[in-house]
Amino acid sequence: MSNQQTIVGHKIKGIRESKNLSIEEIAERSGLSIEQITSIENDQNLPSLGPLIKIARALGVRLGTFLDDNDELGPAVCRAEEREQKSSISFSNDATDARKHMEYHPLAQQKAGRHMEPFIIDINPTENQEFNLSAHEGEEFIYVMSGEVEIEYGKQKYTLKEGDSIFYDSIVKHHVHGAPGKSAKILAVVYIPF
């Protein structure tokens, strides 16, 4: 997990420096604070997808650029046994919400030029039920493989059980988490227009 965090922070910093952009410029372009960007680059905080998408846009790259392993141009096959052996990515939703974690298992890291990010996500139960909703460009599709999840979407709350799915515009503020005291496993596909 920490290796993947280091890779993401290192890649963001490397891309920023290769484009001769300052942290201040990325903060202004992304709407994030200088402190947030610094903590991400220094591997102190790996944020949720929303801030990573804003950084990707500010840098003019796809979100997948931060997660890419290879540059496969053909189909990307991810075998179950390989997915289980690879380290997952843990995104804490904010420094203040650090107890809330979801473990992301990327399914297409080796696919170059992609606009969709498919993940299997293990959602751990949390006692804290006050979440910071986030928004970003694109769309999301979630299919519940096991357990029970809640999706706060705008002013609505949706509870999904095994076999249920939801598709929504991610420009609306939202948050995905386990139902109170419950864990879940979901398939999530995030589409980000580029």
Side-chain angles (χ1 to χ4, degrees), residues 123-126 129 147-150 159-160 177-184:
I123 302 175
N124 301 315
T126 180
Q129 290 296 304
E148 188 174 334
V149 297
E150 286 183 351
T159 301
L160 303 178
H177 50 268
K182 299 197 176 179
S183 60

Side-chain angles (χ1 to χ4, degrees), residues 1-10 43 46 66 87-89:
M1 235 166 17
S2 60
N3 287 346
Q4 188 66 43
Q5 282 188 345
T6 302
I7 290 169
V8 171
H10 179 76
D43 305 313
L46 187 62
F66 304 148
S87 62
S88 63
I89 306 166

Side-chain angles (χ1 to χ4, degrees), residues 57-108:
R57 286 226 176 264
L59 290 171
V61 299
R62 297 174 300 102
L63 171 65
T65 304
F66 304 148
L67 307 174
D68 288 347
D69 280 345
N70 301 310
D71 292 322
E72 178 63 50
L73 297 175
V77 176
C78 183
R79 306 273 182 211
E81 61 273 9
E82 293 169 357
R83 185 181 75 239
E84 296 303 321
Q85 291 172 0
K86 289 184 180 180
S87 62
S88 63
I89 306 166
S90 180
F91 293 100
S92 63
N93 290 331
D94 284 301
T96 58
D97 197 17
R99 292 173 293 170
K100 168 71 174 78
H101 287 280
M102 297 194 287
E103 289 184 24
Y104 288 66
H105 304 276
L107 300 176

Side-chain angles (χ1 to χ4, degrees), residues 174-194:
H174 60 280
H175 193 279
V176 179
H177 50 268
K182 299 197 176 179
S183 60
K185 183 183 287 279
I186 63 174
L187 168 66
V189 180
V190 180
Y191 167 75
I192 301 121
F194 188 72

Side-chain angles (χ1 to χ4, degrees), residues 165-181:
S165 65
I166 188 171
F167 186 108
Y168 54 84
D169 292 315
S170 41
I171 196 72
V172 175
K173 287 196 168 198
H174 60 280
H175 193 279
V176 179
H177 50 268

